[in-house]
Amino acid sequence: MPMKWLVRLIGNALIIFLLASVTDGWLISVNGFAYALLAAFVLGLVNAFIRPIVMLLSIPLRILTLGLFTFVVN
């Protein structure tokens, strides 16, 4: 399980770094791969801890919209 998390973390950091390189800083700017790794780590923490709480609190809206509110949460 930790290996899967590490691979996903490095993959997300690589995508953030490549996105910053391709867009030349107009969409996102990163000063190096270490900062991309830090950004991926923070996004991973938010996704692990905040997303389940928001999903739980948004159950009435997801029922009302037949699940379409999940796109807003994501």
Side-chain angles (χ1 to χ4, degrees), residues 29-73:
S29 76
V30 178
N31 290 333
F33 190 74
Y35 287 108
L37 195 60
L38 179 65
F41 182 73
V42 170
L43 287 174
L45 286 178
V46 167
N47 197 25
F49 293 110
I50 304 294
R51 185 176 182 265
I53 296 169
V54 172
M55 290 294 276
L56 183 66
L57 293 175
S58 68
I59 288 175
L61 283 173
R62 287 189 297 152
I63 291 171
L64 186 66
T65 62
L66 301 176
L68 291 176
F69 191 74
T70 306
F71 289 118
V72 175
V73 172

mmCIF file of all heavy atoms in Angstrom, residues 29-73:
data_model
loop_
_atom_site.group_PDB
_atom_site.id
_atom_site.type_symbol
_atom_site.label_atom_id
_atom_site.label_comp_id
_atom_site.label_asym_id
_atom_site.label_seq_id
_atom_site.Cartn_x
_atom_site.Cartn_y
_atom_site.Cartn_z
ATOM 1 N N SER A 29 3.117 27.769 -12.102
ATOM 2 C CA SER A 29 4.573 27.923 -12.143
ATOM 3 C C SER A 29 5.183 27.210 -10.951
ATOM 4 O O SER A 29 4.685 27.306 -9.827
ATOM 5 C CB SER A 29 4.969 29.397 -12.157
ATOM 6 O OG SER A 29 4.828 29.970 -10.898
ATOM 7 N N VAL A 30 6.240 26.473 -11.227
ATOM 8 C CA VAL A 30 6.946 25.700 -10.212
ATOM 9 C C VAL A 30 8.430 25.966 -10.409
ATOM 10 O O VAL A 30 8.924 25.957 -11.527
ATOM 11 C CB VAL A 30 6.641 24.195 -10.365
ATOM 12 C CG1 VAL A 30 7.400 23.381 -9.338
ATOM 13 C CG2 VAL A 30 5.164 23.928 -10.244
ATOM 14 N N ASN A 31 9.149 26.209 -9.315
ATOM 15 C CA ASN A 31 10.567 26.549 -9.403
ATOM 16 C C ASN A 31 11.486 25.342 -9.479
ATOM 17 O O ASN A 31 12.683 25.500 -9.620
ATOM 18 C CB ASN A 31 10.973 27.418 -8.213
ATOM 19 C CG ASN A 31 10.361 28.789 -8.307
ATOM 20 O OD1 ASN A 31 10.072 29.264 -9.385
ATOM 21 N ND2 ASN A 31 10.157 29.412 -7.166
ATOM 22 N N GLY A 32 10.973 24.159 -9.378
ATOM 23 C CA GLY A 32 11.794 22.956 -9.447
ATOM 24 C C GLY A 32 10.973 21.735 -9.105
ATOM 25 O O GLY A 32 9.812 21.834 -8.684
ATOM 26 N N PHE A 33 11.578 20.569 -9.303
ATOM 27 C CA PHE A 33 10.845 19.336 -9.048
ATOM 28 C C PHE A 33 10.528 19.163 -7.567
ATOM 29 O O PHE A 33 9.508 18.570 -7.217
ATOM 30 C CB PHE A 33 11.636 18.132 -9.568
ATOM 31 C CG PHE A 33 10.831 16.865 -9.555
ATOM 32 C CD1 PHE A 33 9.843 16.653 -10.489
ATOM 33 C CD2 PHE A 33 11.046 15.903 -8.592
ATOM 34 C CE1 PHE A 33 9.079 15.503 -10.474
ATOM 35 C CE2 PHE A 33 10.301 14.747 -8.563
ATOM 36 C CZ PHE A 33 9.315 14.541 -9.509
ATOM 37 N N ALA A 34 11.355 19.708 -6.696
ATOM 38 C CA ALA A 34 11.088 19.593 -5.260
ATOM 39 C C ALA A 34 9.800 20.320 -4.885
ATOM 40 O O ALA A 34 9.008 19.823 -4.076
ATOM 41 C CB ALA A 34 12.262 20.150 -4.459
ATOM 42 N N TYR A 35 9.569 21.480 -5.499
ATOM 43 C CA TYR A 35 8.327 22.210 -5.233
ATOM 44 C C TYR A 35 7.130 21.496 -5.849
ATOM 45 O O TYR A 35 6.029 21.521 -5.284
ATOM 46 C CB TYR A 35 8.424 23.642 -5.742
ATOM 47 C CG TYR A 35 9.321 24.506 -4.891
ATOM 48 C CD1 TYR A 35 10.565 24.910 -5.343
ATOM 49 C CD2 TYR A 35 8.931 24.898 -3.624
ATOM 50 C CE1 TYR A 35 11.402 25.694 -4.565
ATOM 51 C CE2 TYR A 35 9.747 25.677 -2.826
ATOM 52 C CZ TYR A 35 10.979 26.073 -3.305
ATOM 53 O OH TYR A 35 11.791 26.843 -2.514
ATOM 54 N N ALA A 36 7.323 20.861 -6.976
ATOM 55 C CA ALA A 36 6.249 20.066 -7.573
ATOM 56 C C ALA A 36 5.921 18.876 -6.674
ATOM 57 O O ALA A 36 4.752 18.522 -6.509
ATOM 58 C CB ALA A 36 6.645 19.600 -8.965
ATOM 59 N N LEU A 37 6.946 18.278 -6.077
ATOM 60 C CA LEU A 37 6.733 17.174 -5.152
ATOM 61 C C LEU A 37 5.986 17.644 -3.904
ATOM 62 O O LEU A 37 5.079 16.967 -3.416
ATOM 63 C CB LEU A 37 8.071 16.563 -4.768
ATOM 64 C CG LEU A 37 8.085 15.204 -4.106
ATOM 65 C CD1 LEU A 37 7.456 14.156 -5.011
ATOM 66 C CD2 LEU A 37 9.497 14.809 -3.763
ATOM 67 N N LEU A 38 6.335 18.829 -3.410
ATOM 68 C CA LEU A 38 5.637 19.398 -2.267
ATOM 69 C C LEU A 38 4.173 19.692 -2.600
ATOM 70 O O LEU A 38 3.276 19.400 -1.804
ATOM 71 C CB LEU A 38 6.333 20.676 -1.803
ATOM 72 C CG LEU A 38 5.711 21.407 -0.627
ATOM 73 C CD1 LEU A 38 5.798 20.559 0.631
ATOM 74 C CD2 LEU A 38 6.380 22.743 -0.419
ATOM 75 N N ALA A 39 3.917 20.240 -3.782
ATOM 76 C CA ALA A 39 2.540 20.526 -4.201
ATOM 77 C C ALA A 39 1.743 19.236 -4.342
ATOM 78 O O ALA A 39 0.573 19.166 -3.923
ATOM 79 C CB ALA A 39 2.543 21.289 -5.519
ATOM 80 N N ALA A 40 2.346 18.201 -4.880
ATOM 81 C CA ALA A 40 1.663 16.911 -5.011
ATOM 82 C C ALA A 40 1.372 16.313 -3.638
ATOM 83 O O ALA A 40 0.315 15.714 -3.422
ATOM 84 C CB ALA A 40 2.513 15.956 -5.837
ATOM 85 N N PHE A 41 2.287 16.494 -2.694
ATOM 86 C CA PHE A 41 2.081 15.994 -1.338
ATOM 87 C C PHE A 41 0.907 16.708 -0.660
ATOM 88 O O PHE A 41 0.056 16.074 -0.042
ATOM 89 C CB PHE A 41 3.359 16.170 -0.522
ATOM 90 C CG PHE A 41 3.258 15.640 0.876
ATOM 91 C CD1 PHE A 41 3.250 14.284 1.117
ATOM 92 C CD2 PHE A 41 3.175 16.507 1.951
ATOM 93 C CE1 PHE A 41 3.158 13.789 2.409
ATOM 94 C CE2 PHE A 41 3.082 16.027 3.241
ATOM 95 C CZ PHE A 41 3.079 14.664 3.468
ATOM 96 N N VAL A 42 0.847 18.030 -0.818
ATOM 97 C CA VAL A 42 -0.249 18.801 -0.224
ATOM 98 C C VAL A 42 -1.578 18.417 -0.859
ATOM 99 O O VAL A 42 -2.585 18.236 -0.167
ATOM 100 C CB VAL A 42 0.023 20.313 -0.357
ATOM 101 C CG1 VAL A 42 -1.196 21.127 0.020
ATOM 102 C CG2 VAL A 42 1.210 20.707 0.515
ATOM 103 N N LEU A 43 -1.596 18.275 -2.185
ATOM 104 C CA LEU A 43 -2.833 17.860 -2.854
ATOM 105 C C LEU A 43 -3.253 16.459 -2.416
ATOM 106 O O LEU A 43 -4.446 16.178 -2.268
ATOM 107 C CB LEU A 43 -2.653 17.910 -4.366
ATOM 108 C CG LEU A 43 -2.618 19.301 -4.978
ATOM 109 C CD1 LEU A 43 -2.295 19.212 -6.465
ATOM 110 C CD2 LEU A 43 -3.933 20.017 -4.767
ATOM 111 N N GLY A 44 -2.288 15.587 -2.196
ATOM 112 C CA GLY A 44 -2.597 14.243 -1.710
ATOM 113 C C GLY A 44 -3.187 14.261 -0.309
ATOM 114 O O GLY A 44 -4.119 13.510 -0.015
ATOM 115 N N LEU A 45 -2.645 15.108 0.558
ATOM 116 C CA LEU A 45 -3.202 15.231 1.912
ATOM 117 C C LEU A 45 -4.622 15.783 1.896
ATOM 118 O O LEU A 45 -5.496 15.295 2.616
ATOM 119 C CB LEU A 45 -2.313 16.121 2.772
ATOM 120 C CG LEU A 45 -1.008 15.521 3.251
ATOM 121 C CD1 LEU A 45 -0.215 16.547 4.043
ATOM 122 C CD2 LEU A 45 -1.261 14.293 4.092
ATOM 123 N N VAL A 46 -4.845 16.793 1.077
ATOM 124 C CA VAL A 46 -6.192 17.359 0.965
ATOM 125 C C VAL A 46 -7.154 16.309 0.438
ATOM 126 O O VAL A 46 -8.275 16.164 0.942
ATOM 127 C CB VAL A 46 -6.176 18.615 0.064
ATOM 128 C CG1 VAL A 46 -7.577 19.039 -0.317
ATOM 129 C CG2 VAL A 46 -5.455 19.750 0.759
ATOM 130 N N ASN A 47 -6.717 15.561 -0.568
ATOM 131 C CA ASN A 47 -7.576 14.536 -1.142
ATOM 132 C C ASN A 47 -7.852 13.410 -0.146
ATOM 133 O O ASN A 47 -8.932 12.831 -0.141
ATOM 134 C CB ASN A 47 -6.923 13.968 -2.406
ATOM 135 C CG ASN A 47 -7.913 13.212 -3.253
ATOM 136 O OD1 ASN A 47 -9.097 13.443 -3.197
ATOM 137 N ND2 ASN A 47 -7.405 12.300 -4.049
ATOM 138 N N ALA A 48 -6.900 13.121 0.724
ATOM 139 C CA ALA A 48 -7.073 12.037 1.683
ATOM 140 C C ALA A 48 -7.926 12.420 2.884
ATOM 141 O O ALA A 48 -8.649 11.582 3.423
ATOM 142 C CB ALA A 48 -5.707 11.553 2.166
ATOM 143 N N PHE A 49 -7.868 13.682 3.314
ATOM 144 C CA PHE A 49 -8.543 14.054 4.554
ATOM 145 C C PHE A 49 -9.758 14.957 4.363
ATOM 146 O O PHE A 49 -10.771 14.791 5.036
ATOM 147 C CB PHE A 49 -7.552 14.739 5.511
ATOM 148 C CG PHE A 49 -6.492 13.813 5.994
ATOM 149 C CD1 PHE A 49 -5.186 13.948 5.570
ATOM 150 C CD2 PHE A 49 -6.790 12.778 6.855
ATOM 151 C CE1 PHE A 49 -4.204 13.084 6.007
ATOM 152 C CE2 PHE A 49 -5.821 11.899 7.302
ATOM 153 C CZ PHE A 49 -4.519 12.056 6.874
ATOM 154 N N ILE A 50 -9.690 15.907 3.466
ATOM 155 C CA ILE A 50 -10.788 16.856 3.293
ATOM 156 C C ILE A 50 -11.890 16.291 2.408
ATOM 157 O O ILE A 50 -13.080 16.460 2.694
ATOM 158 C CB ILE A 50 -10.261 18.192 2.708
ATOM 159 C CG1 ILE A 50 -9.158 18.767 3.580
ATOM 160 C CG2 ILE A 50 -11.386 19.178 2.500
ATOM 161 C CD1 ILE A 50 -9.596 19.195 4.946
ATOM 162 N N ARG A 51 -11.522 15.589 1.333
ATOM 163 C CA ARG A 51 -12.509 15.084 0.380
ATOM 164 C C ARG A 51 -13.546 14.155 1.035
ATOM 165 O O ARG A 51 -14.744 14.292 0.761
ATOM 166 C CB ARG A 51 -11.814 14.380 -0.777
ATOM 167 C CG ARG A 51 -12.778 13.942 -1.852
ATOM 168 C CD ARG A 51 -12.033 13.322 -3.033
ATOM 169 N NE ARG A 51 -12.941 12.942 -4.078
ATOM 170 C CZ ARG A 51 -13.431 11.709 -4.207
ATOM 171 N NH1 ARG A 51 -13.079 10.780 -3.365
ATOM 172 N NH2 ARG A 51 -14.266 11.438 -5.183
ATOM 173 N N PRO A 52 -13.153 13.191 1.892
ATOM 174 C CA PRO A 52 -14.187 12.346 2.506
ATOM 175 C C PRO A 52 -15.187 13.129 3.366
ATOM 176 O O PRO A 52 -16.376 12.802 3.398
ATOM 177 C CB PRO A 52 -13.394 11.366 3.369
ATOM 178 C CG PRO A 52 -12.044 11.342 2.774
ATOM 179 C CD PRO A 52 -11.816 12.703 2.224
ATOM 180 N N ILE A 53 -14.714 14.152 4.045
ATOM 181 C CA ILE A 53 -15.609 14.973 4.862
ATOM 182 C C ILE A 53 -16.598 15.719 3.984
ATOM 183 O O ILE A 53 -17.798 15.749 4.261
ATOM 184 C CB ILE A 53 -14.791 15.948 5.735
ATOM 185 C CG1 ILE A 53 -13.941 15.166 6.737
ATOM 186 C CG2 ILE A 53 -15.698 16.942 6.451
ATOM 187 C CD1 ILE A 53 -12.919 15.994 7.468
ATOM 188 N N VAL A 54 -16.106 16.303 2.894
ATOM 189 C CA VAL A 54 -16.983 17.032 1.979
ATOM 190 C C VAL A 54 -17.968 16.077 1.308
ATOM 191 O O VAL A 54 -19.144 16.412 1.123
ATOM 192 C CB VAL A 54 -16.152 17.812 0.942
ATOM 193 C CG1 VAL A 54 -17.030 18.419 -0.128
ATOM 194 C CG2 VAL A 54 -15.338 18.892 1.632
ATOM 195 N N MET A 55 -17.506 14.889 0.954
ATOM 196 C CA MET A 55 -18.410 13.909 0.341
ATOM 197 C C MET A 55 -19.514 13.501 1.320
ATOM 198 O O MET A 55 -20.669 13.346 0.917
ATOM 199 C CB MET A 55 -17.624 12.674 -0.104
ATOM 200 C CG MET A 55 -16.707 12.918 -1.282
ATOM 201 S SD MET A 55 -17.575 13.301 -2.796
ATOM 202 C CE MET A 55 -17.936 11.671 -3.365
ATOM 203 N N LEU A 56 -19.173 13.355 2.582
ATOM 204 C CA LEU A 56 -20.174 12.987 3.580
ATOM 205 C C LEU A 56 -21.183 14.111 3.787
ATOM 206 O O LEU A 56 -22.388 13.870 3.863
ATOM 207 C CB LEU A 56 -19.484 12.648 4.904
ATOM 208 C CG LEU A 56 -20.382 12.181 6.027
ATOM 209 C CD1 LEU A 56 -20.998 10.840 5.673
ATOM 210 C CD2 LEU A 56 -19.606 12.080 7.319
ATOM 211 N N LEU A 57 -20.698 15.347 3.846
ATOM 212 C CA LEU A 57 -21.598 16.472 4.070
ATOM 213 C C LEU A 57 -22.464 16.796 2.853
ATOM 214 O O LEU A 57 -23.502 17.437 2.995
ATOM 215 C CB LEU A 57 -20.796 17.713 4.472
ATOM 216 C CG LEU A 57 -20.099 17.632 5.831
ATOM 217 C CD1 LEU A 57 -19.249 18.862 6.062
ATOM 218 C CD2 LEU A 57 -21.113 17.460 6.947
ATOM 219 N N SER A 58 -22.037 16.356 1.681
ATOM 220 C CA SER A 58 -22.787 16.696 0.469
ATOM 221 C C SER A 58 -23.740 15.593 0.023
ATOM 222 O O SER A 58 -24.246 15.632 -1.096
ATOM 223 C CB SER A 58 -21.816 17.019 -0.669
ATOM 224 O OG SER A 58 -21.122 15.857 -1.065
ATOM 225 N N ILE A 59 -23.995 14.618 0.885
ATOM 226 C CA ILE A 59 -24.904 13.529 0.512
ATOM 227 C C ILE A 59 -26.286 14.040 0.093
ATOM 228 O O ILE A 59 -26.818 13.587 -0.928
ATOM 229 C CB ILE A 59 -24.995 12.478 1.645
ATOM 230 C CG1 ILE A 59 -23.694 11.680 1.699
ATOM 231 C CG2 ILE A 59 -26.173 11.533 1.440
ATOM 232 C CD1 ILE A 59 -23.617 10.701 2.841
ATOM 233 N N PRO A 60 -26.900 14.983 0.804
ATOM 234 C CA PRO A 60 -28.219 15.458 0.340
ATOM 235 C C PRO A 60 -28.175 16.100 -1.055
ATOM 236 O O PRO A 60 -29.071 15.865 -1.869
ATOM 237 C CB PRO A 60 -28.626 16.499 1.389
ATOM 238 C CG PRO A 60 -27.848 16.135 2.600
ATOM 239 C CD PRO A 60 -26.566 15.561 2.108
ATOM 240 N N LEU A 61 -27.132 16.856 -1.337
ATOM 241 C CA LEU A 61 -27.024 17.459 -2.669
ATOM 242 C C LEU A 61 -26.756 16.411 -3.743
ATOM 243 O O LEU A 61 -27.241 16.530 -4.869
ATOM 244 C CB LEU A 61 -25.922 18.514 -2.691
ATOM 245 C CG LEU A 61 -26.275 19.842 -2.048
ATOM 246 C CD1 LEU A 61 -25.048 20.738 -1.968
ATOM 247 C CD2 LEU A 61 -27.365 20.531 -2.822
ATOM 248 N N ARG A 62 -25.993 15.390 -3.413
ATOM 249 C CA ARG A 62 -25.736 14.334 -4.397
ATOM 250 C C ARG A 62 -26.995 13.539 -4.679
ATOM 251 O O ARG A 62 -27.237 13.122 -5.810
ATOM 252 C CB ARG A 62 -24.624 13.414 -3.915
ATOM 253 C CG ARG A 62 -23.259 14.101 -4.010
ATOM 254 C CD ARG A 62 -22.132 13.165 -3.749
ATOM 255 N NE ARG A 62 -22.204 12.640 -2.392
ATOM 256 C CZ ARG A 62 -21.725 11.464 -2.013
ATOM 257 N NH1 ARG A 62 -21.143 10.687 -2.870
ATOM 258 N NH2 ARG A 62 -21.820 11.076 -0.754
ATOM 259 N N ILE A 63 -27.825 13.324 -3.660
ATOM 260 C CA ILE A 63 -29.102 12.638 -3.881
ATOM 261 C C ILE A 63 -30.018 13.504 -4.725
ATOM 262 O O ILE A 63 -30.660 13.025 -5.660
ATOM 263 C CB ILE A 63 -29.757 12.268 -2.531
ATOM 264 C CG1 ILE A 63 -28.945 11.179 -1.835
ATOM 265 C CG2 ILE A 63 -31.196 11.810 -2.725
ATOM 266 C CD1 ILE A 63 -29.381 10.889 -0.415
ATOM 267 N N LEU A 64 -30.082 14.798 -4.412
ATOM 268 C CA LEU A 64 -30.951 15.719 -5.144
ATOM 269 C C LEU A 64 -30.551 15.841 -6.609
ATOM 270 O O LEU A 64 -31.412 15.926 -7.486
ATOM 271 C CB LEU A 64 -30.921 17.100 -4.468
ATOM 272 C CG LEU A 64 -31.871 18.150 -5.003
ATOM 273 C CD1 LEU A 64 -33.309 17.738 -4.728
ATOM 274 C CD2 LEU A 64 -31.585 19.487 -4.344
ATOM 275 N N THR A 65 -29.257 15.828 -6.895
ATOM 276 C CA THR A 65 -28.786 15.990 -8.271
ATOM 277 C C THR A 65 -28.469 14.656 -8.935
ATOM 278 O O THR A 65 -27.854 14.632 -10.006
ATOM 279 C CB THR A 65 -27.533 16.877 -8.315
ATOM 280 O OG1 THR A 65 -26.491 16.236 -7.583
ATOM 281 C CG2 THR A 65 -27.816 18.249 -7.764
ATOM 282 N N LEU A 66 -28.881 13.559 -8.311
ATOM 283 C CA LEU A 66 -28.643 12.207 -8.823
ATOM 284 C C LEU A 66 -27.159 11.930 -9.052
ATOM 285 O O LEU A 66 -26.757 11.309 -10.030
ATOM 286 C CB LEU A 66 -29.445 11.970 -10.107
ATOM 287 C CG LEU A 66 -30.959 12.123 -9.976
ATOM 288 C CD1 LEU A 66 -31.620 11.972 -11.324
ATOM 289 C CD2 LEU A 66 -31.521 11.130 -8.986
ATOM 290 N N GLY A 67 -26.333 12.428 -8.170
ATOM 291 C CA GLY A 67 -24.916 12.146 -8.203
ATOM 292 C C GLY A 67 -24.072 13.152 -8.964
ATOM 293 O O GLY A 67 -22.840 13.070 -8.960
ATOM 294 N N LEU A 68 -24.683 14.106 -9.639
ATOM 295 C CA LEU A 68 -23.917 15.056 -10.447
ATOM 296 C C LEU A 68 -23.116 16.043 -9.597
ATOM 297 O O LEU A 68 -22.143 16.608 -10.066
ATOM 298 C CB LEU A 68 -24.841 15.822 -11.400
ATOM 299 C CG LEU A 68 -25.446 14.975 -12.515
ATOM 300 C CD1 LEU A 68 -26.412 15.802 -13.330
ATOM 301 C CD2 LEU A 68 -24.362 14.395 -13.397
ATOM 302 N N PHE A 69 -23.501 16.238 -8.339
ATOM 303 C CA PHE A 69 -22.755 17.144 -7.468
ATOM 304 C C PHE A 69 -21.372 16.583 -7.137
ATOM 305 O O PHE A 69 -20.492 17.322 -6.728
ATOM 306 C CB PHE A 69 -23.539 17.422 -6.172
ATOM 307 C CG PHE A 69 -22.964 18.531 -5.363
ATOM 308 C CD1 PHE A 69 -23.112 19.847 -5.758
ATOM 309 C CD2 PHE A 69 -22.266 18.282 -4.187
ATOM 310 C CE1 PHE A 69 -22.571 20.881 -5.028
ATOM 311 C CE2 PHE A 69 -21.721 19.309 -3.444
ATOM 312 C CZ PHE A 69 -21.885 20.610 -3.868
ATOM 313 N N THR A 70 -21.157 15.297 -7.369
ATOM 314 C CA THR A 70 -19.845 14.701 -7.149
ATOM 315 C C THR A 70 -18.788 15.364 -8.034
ATOM 316 O O THR A 70 -17.626 15.500 -7.642
ATOM 317 C CB THR A 70 -19.899 13.190 -7.423
ATOM 318 O OG1 THR A 70 -20.946 12.636 -6.640
ATOM 319 C CG2 THR A 70 -18.602 12.507 -7.079
ATOM 320 N N PHE A 71 -19.177 15.792 -9.231
ATOM 321 C CA PHE A 71 -18.227 16.494 -10.108
ATOM 322 C C PHE A 71 -17.770 17.801 -9.474
ATOM 323 O O PHE A 71 -16.619 18.203 -9.642
ATOM 324 C CB PHE A 71 -18.863 16.774 -11.470
ATOM 325 C CG PHE A 71 -19.058 15.537 -12.298
ATOM 326 C CD1 PHE A 71 -20.337 15.145 -12.676
ATOM 327 C CD2 PHE A 71 -17.981 14.773 -12.691
ATOM 328 C CE1 PHE A 71 -20.516 14.011 -13.432
ATOM 329 C CE2 PHE A 71 -18.151 13.637 -13.449
ATOM 330 C CZ PHE A 71 -19.427 13.242 -13.828
ATOM 331 N N VAL A 72 -18.640 18.479 -8.749
ATOM 332 C CA VAL A 72 -18.273 19.714 -8.070
ATOM 333 C C VAL A 72 -17.282 19.425 -6.949
ATOM 334 O O VAL A 72 -16.300 20.153 -6.785
ATOM 335 C CB VAL A 72 -19.526 20.430 -7.521
ATOM 336 C CG1 VAL A 72 -19.156 21.645 -6.713
ATOM 337 C CG2 VAL A 72 -20.468 20.799 -8.660
ATOM 338 N N VAL A 73 -17.493 18.349 -6.215
ATOM 339 C CA VAL A 73 -16.604 18.002 -5.116
ATOM 340 C C VAL A 73 -15.225 17.622 -5.656
ATOM 341 O O VAL A 73 -14.203 18.005 -5.113
ATOM 342 C CB VAL A 73 -17.194 16.851 -4.277
ATOM 343 C CG1 VAL A 73 -16.198 16.362 -3.249
ATOM 344 C CG2 VAL A 73 -18.481 17.301 -3.603
#
